[in-house]
Amino acid sequence: MGSGASAHGQKTIYLDVDGKIQKVVFSQHSSPAEIKELLCASAGLPWQAAIILLDKKGTVVATDSTIPKNSKSSAYRIVSRSISPRPEKEDFFQNILSQVTEEFSRAFRVTEMKREVMERLAMLERRMEVEGLKAIDIDKCKNELKNLRDEMEKKTSRLSCPCRFYYSEDIKKLNPRRDVPTYPKYTLSSETIDALKKPTFDVWHWEYNEMLSCLEFMYHDLGLVREFNMNPITLKRWLLCIQENYRTNPFHNFRHCFCVTQMMYGMIHLCNLQEKMSLIELGVLMTSAVCHDLDHPGYNNTYQINAHTELAIRYNDMSPLENHHCAVAFQILAQPENNIFANITPELFKQIRQSIIRLILATDMARHGEILESFKKVLPNFDFSNEDHVKTLQMVLIKCCDISNEVRPTKVAEPWVDCLLEEYFMQSDREKSEGLPVTPFMDRDKVTKPKAQIGFIKFVLIPMFESVMKLFPHIEEVMVLPLREARDHYEELMEIEEALAEVQQKKSATLSIGGKLQVSA
């Protein structure tokens, strides 16, 4: 259950931090500034602290990629130097100087990489000349490839629709962020930390920066940062990139992402999963919750398939949205600046990737019955040491969290219904305007809030949460009872609606009869 070996091209050194040996792993291509940040983080110092690295003999060691490797017995020591306060203007110019230095360092690295590439190209050209392939043939091949690529792009553009999705190279939000994210680090109170672990947490009182800090806290609190040897700054960058790649839909937005992840964090504590699952399995649950609706366009799979959108065509009508969420998640992780799993083995990353894909695909409601039935079959003899049992439970857990709003108090849950209906009505209006089949439960002319919720709570939410309750009986009070109360609440609203409709109908009938009598008289 360890963090895994360092990847190729990385260097490992050991630090003596107050008598405790700390292992530090970094890339040989890391800049001095990045290495210094990592050393400060490992020693528990602020990133802007001035430090000196000393070996066993007290000799100063350079804090760059040339740091000699050492062993635990010859661990380096970090000495923090106090810095006298400088005027604000001097700090400003010092920051500019640091950025300029960093840019020069990058430029030199780019120059070195260009030199290596040119050498390899020269070697390949010499080999092609030996094999008799002339330069004119190469140019011809390049032109043919360019023409073919242009033709493919033209064909792709014909498949586009008003609901346009883009490939990774077109998504500007996914551009790497080399700067340290600027969202402030909030110190969470003990009351907030306690509230985060409960379904009653009010997700409407928090700004995006505060939600990012809460998510960051969850990863540290569960021990995931330590387990996967995550760079804390990379975790910040990743979370910020995740937030930027949720669209501003009425419902499927970053606040929904936070809502689902907070519920997952709460269920981990409520069900005491830390003692039943490995940290790797908990990391998969949390990361899947964070990524589960990335770049959601606000129009569901039914619309994608009926409208023959680029997504539906790309994924052959099979869970197009969920496949897209997975793809965007791993496009983000493919960037070194955002790869929170950079310091684990390729084998472990492959395992984590497969698990995250499995869980995100499980959020497609078209698979609800299939997944719930699989869980009910293993429930009587559920065994946490059985890998297949745990996989099935993980799928049910992320489904529970994804649609868990009605578990929350009414004042927290009801605004989400309004947001969902707004998104539904946007889709049904679009379906009508484009001549597509209108999804019945989204039609603004037919659906009301009670109608939308009663059937969903009675036939989807309650049966699923009651199944989970058989494995974790203590969730009945905090999760199942609120669902039953929500059902009763909407049934009362439905009775009021029907009574008002009946009164209105009688009133209309009376007016109609009165009009006829007046005409006949």
Side-chain angles (χ1 to χ4, degrees):
M1 205 163 59
S3 302
S6 297
H8 181 67
Q10 294 181 338
K11 182 178 285 189
T12 302
I13 64 169
Y14 296 89
L15 299 179
D16 184 346
V17 181
D18 297 330
K20 183 179 178 182
I21 300 301
Q22 181 75 34
K23 181 180 178 182
V24 180
V25 181
F26 57 89
S27 169
Q28 293 181 356
H29 298 292
S30 298
S31 68
E34 290 171 334
I35 294 174
K36 175 181 172 294
E37 287 179 15
L38 189 56
L39 293 174
C40 288
S42 302
L45 297 171
W47 66 268
Q48 70 270 29
I51 62 170
I52 298 176
L53 194 63
L54 302 176
D55 63 13
K56 280 288 187 180
K57 298 179 181 179
T59 305
V60 177
V61 181
T63 55
D64 56 29
S65 59
T66 64
I67 298 176
K69 294 181 180 178
N70 63 347
S71 62
K72 293 181 181 179
S73 60
S74 59
Y76 295 134
R77 289 184 300 110
I78 291 181
V79 178
S80 175
R81 296 180 296 177
S82 60
I83 303 176
S84 58
R86 294 182 297 186
E88 185 177 336
K89 188 177 292 184
E90 185 179 345
D91 284 339
F92 175 76
F93 285 112
Q94 183 61 35
N95 287 336
I96 292 178
L97 183 59
S98 299
Q99 292 177 22
V100 171
T101 304
E102 178 65 16
E103 290 301 321
F104 270 114
S105 174
R106 289 180 187 148
F108 285 130
R109 289 202 300 273
V110 169
T111 302
E112 181 64 21
M113 290 174 66
K114 285 175 68 177
R115 184 185 63 78
E116 292 179 6
V117 170
M118 292 302 293
E119 287 178 356
R120 293 185 64 186
L121 281 174
M123 181 184 70
L124 287 172
E125 286 176 357
R126 287 195 295 271
R127 287 178 58 186
M128 286 188 289
E129 286 174 359
V130 170
E131 295 169 5
L133 186 60
K134 304 300 182 183
I136 188 170
D137 294 326
I138 298 174
D139 290 336
K140 183 180 177 182
C141 289
K142 286 181 179 177
N143 289 331
E144 289 176 354
L145 284 171
K146 183 180 182 301
N147 293 335
L148 182 60
R149 190 179 294 112
D150 292 342
E151 184 64 25
M152 289 177 66
E153 287 177 358
K154 288 178 184 177
K155 290 181 179 179
T156 302
S157 66
R158 297 188 198 113
L159 297 175
S160 62
C161 68
C163 184
R164 180 66 193 265
F165 295 85
Y166 302 95
Y167 291 98
S168 59
E169 57 265 32
D170 296 323
I171 302 177
K172 293 182 179 179
K173 292 179 183 177
L174 294 182
N175 285 345
R177 298 178 60 96
R178 289 183 173 83
D179 57 310
V180 177
T182 55
Y183 71 84
K185 175 66 182 282
Y186 294 90
T187 301
L188 304 184
S189 66
S190 57
E191 291 82 2
T192 299
I193 292 172
D194 186 54
L196 272 174
K197 300 173 182 178
K198 298 176 181 177
T200 52
F201 187 83
D202 191 344
V203 296
W204 296 106
H205 288 171
W206 302 83
E207 300 298 329
Y208 278 9
N209 287 342
E210 296 170 319
M211 289 188 278
L212 287 167
S213 283
C214 287
L215 291 172
E216 187 181 355
F217 168 81
M218 293 175 198
Y219 269 74
H220 281 279
D221 180 58
L222 290 172
L224 304 180
V225 175
R226 182 178 63 254
E227 174 66 17
F228 297 105
N229 196 17
M230 293 179 188
N231 183 331
I233 295 174
T234 302
L235 176 62
K236 283 177 174 286
R237 286 197 189 99
W238 177 71
L239 287 171
L240 194 59
C241 194
I242 290 289
Q243 182 248 307
E244 289 177 342
N245 280 279
Y246 272 90
R247 302 194 194 185
T248 54
N249 299 314
F251 184 90
H252 291 99
N253 50 41
F254 180 66
R255 192 176 299 277
H256 169 67
C257 154
F258 175 75
C259 200
V260 174
T261 310
Q262 183 270 322
M263 186 63 75
M264 181 67 77
Y265 178 71
M267 290 196 79
I268 288 172
H269 285 281
L270 284 169
C271 303
N272 199 19
L273 295 181
Q274 300 99 319
E275 295 184 6
K276 299 176 175 66
M277 291 186 182
S278 68
L279 281 176
I280 292 173
E281 290 164 339
L282 296 183
V284 165
L285 283 172
M286 291 293 292
T287 306
S288 301
V290 169
C291 300
H292 84 284
D293 269 335
L294 273 168
D295 198 41
H296 195 296
Y299 301 93
N300 71 5
N301 281 332
T302 301
Y303 173 84
Q304 305 299 324
I305 294 167
N306 288 339
H308 305 295
T309 64
E310 184 179 340
L311 270 187
I313 292 168
R314 189 187 310 167
Y315 295 112
N316 304 311
D317 294 349
M318 293 184 288
S319 302
L321 286 183
E322 290 72 25
N323 274 294
H324 180 62
H325 305 327
C326 292
V328 176
F330 286 99
Q331 286 168 10
I332 293 172
L333 286 171
Q335 299 167 346
E337 292 82 0
N338 297 317
N339 188 4
I340 56 174
F341 297 119
N343 296 324
I344 63 176
T345 63
E347 293 77 14
L348 180 55
F349 179 76
K350 181 179 179 182
Q351 174 190 336
I352 289 172
R353 171 173 159 78
Q354 291 172 342
S355 299
I356 290 174
I357 291 172
R358 183 178 65 254
L359 294 196
I360 294 179
L361 291 181
T363 61
D364 184 354
M365 286 303 296
R367 299 183 57 204
H368 176 80
E370 161 211 337
I371 293 171
L372 187 57
E373 283 306 309
S374 297
F375 180 62
K376 288 179 177 179
K377 285 180 182 178
V378 301
L379 257 180
N381 302 301
F382 194 91
D383 183 0
F384 277 95
S385 64
N386 185 312
E387 185 179 347
D388 290 334
H389 289 192
V390 173
K391 286 180 179 178
T392 306
L393 173 62
Q394 285 180 312
M395 289 192 289
V396 171
L397 287 175
I398 195 168
K399 284 178 59 59
C400 286
C401 295
D402 188 24
I403 54 177
S404 62
N405 287 326
E406 291 299 339
V407 171
R408 301 180 187 275
T410 303
K411 67 175 183 178
V412 181
E414 199 153 354
W416 280 117
V417 183
D418 296 327
C419 293
L420 186 60
L421 288 177
E422 183 181 349
E423 198 166 293
Y424 280 176
F425 296 157
M426 281 172 49
Q427 175 167 323
S428 63
D429 291 346
R430 185 166 186 164
E431 288 168 336
K432 292 173 184 177
S433 68
E434 295 179 1
L436 298 172
V438 179
T439 307
F441 62 86
M442 294 185 177
D443 193 338
R444 68 169 69 246
D445 298 325
K446 299 178 181 178
V447 176
T448 62
K449 192 184 293 187
K451 283 182 182 178
Q453 291 303 96
I454 290 174
F456 188 68
I457 295 172
K458 287 175 67 173
F459 303 113
V460 177
L461 291 178
I462 290 179
M464 181 167 63
F465 276 86
E466 284 182 342
S467 296
V468 176
M469 182 183 72
K470 292 177 182 177
L471 193 59
F472 306 107
H474 48 283
I475 73 165
E476 180 174 14
E477 182 179 352
V478 292
M479 289 186 151
V480 178
L481 287 181
L483 284 176
R484 294 169 182 162
E485 290 170 0
R487 175 200 59 199
D488 297 341
H489 167 68
Y490 283 112
E491 284 180 341
E492 288 176 6
L493 289 181
M494 175 67 84
E495 290 175 1
I496 294 171
E497 268 190 9
E498 290 175 346
L500 288 173
E502 186 177 348
V503 169
Q504 186 63 36
Q505 188 177 4
K506 288 180 179 178
K507 184 177 179 182
S508 299
T510 303
L511 289 173
S512 177
I513 293 171
K516 288 179 180 178
L517 290 173
Q518 190 173 8
V519 170
S520 61

